[in-house]
Amino acid sequence: MLDALPVLDAILQRHAAELGKDHLPYRNHAYRVANFHWCLLPGSDEDRYVVSVAAAFHDLGIWTDGTFDYLGPSEAQARAYLQAEGCGDLVPLVLAMIDHHHQVSAMERTADPRIEAFRKADWIDVTLGLRRFGVRSDDFKHILARFPRLGFHRRLVRFAWHHGLHHPTNPLPMLRR
């Protein structure tokens, strides 16, 4: 289990004020996604770094930019972070992971497998485990016990409802594909 991801924690700490009361629920969501990704596709230290950055930023634009149309803002922040860290070569991969994380259909077989694993990992969490893509029940329960939901999904439903009321002609990011 990925219990301590210092890069993920440092990124989220930088945005603690914007996250406010949602800091711990979002952190737990990011850790669940990172862990589900790791169950599906364990890897190297670089892979751990990539999944840490993608998990930290993938939904962050909701809070930092105050919008449920958050993919662009989340990607822009990830790009700026990676470039500032001297990891510009990872920008295309991390941005693809963020951009496709709500995609309903599987990625093309030619895509980097980390993109597909991240997509599946987020879907595992968003569906509350109804879709597990092969993650074992024991692993799922252990991850959820270590990183409880803390109302995160209810908060997302409220954001989506608010977005729909105020922007009825602008579909949710995950419905655009």
Side-chain angles (χ1 to χ4, degrees), residues 110-157:
T110 57
D112 188 305
R114 293 171 288 189
I115 302 167
E116 177 66 1
F118 193 76
R119 183 191 74 81
K120 287 178 177 178
D122 191 68
W123 274 105
I124 292 168
D125 198 54
V126 167
T127 65
L128 306 174
L130 293 175
R131 298 200 65 192
R132 294 209 188 142
F133 301 101
V135 170
R136 295 176 338 140
S137 181
D138 287 348
D139 290 335
F140 177 84
K141 289 175 186 172
H142 190 68
I143 291 164
L144 191 59
R146 175 66 181 89
F147 301 104
R149 294 185 182 116
L150 304 177
F152 179 76
H153 296 87
R154 283 191 304 270
R155 188 81 165 123
L156 287 183
V157 169

Side-chain angles (χ1 to χ4, degrees), residues 1 8 49 62 128 137 143 159 161 172:
M1 171 165 312
L8 188 155
Y49 178 80
I62 295 171
L128 306 174
S137 181
I143 291 164
F159 283 138
W161 180 257
L172 298 173

Side-chain angles (χ1 to χ4, degrees), residues 50-128:
V50 165
V51 77
S52 294
V53 173
F57 284 108
H58 78 285
D59 293 334
L60 194 59
I62 295 171
W63 289 269
T64 59
D65 288 57
T67 181
F68 210 63
D69 195 4
Y70 58 89
L71 293 177
S74 296
E75 291 170 5
Q77 291 177 43
R79 176 192 314 274
Y81 174 83
L82 288 167
Q83 289 173 337
E85 294 294 312
C87 298
D89 58 315
L90 297 175
V91 167
L93 172 60
V94 171
L95 296 190
M97 291 168 77
I98 293 170
D99 187 49
H100 294 283
H101 81 275
H102 282 298
Q103 183 171 312
V104 175
S105 58
M107 296 297 300
E108 294 180 19
R109 292 183 191 267
T110 57
D112 188 305
R114 293 171 288 189
I115 302 167
E116 177 66 1
F118 193 76
R119 183 191 74 81
K120 287 178 177 178
D122 191 68
W123 274 105
I124 292 168
D125 198 54
V126 167
T127 65
L128 306 174

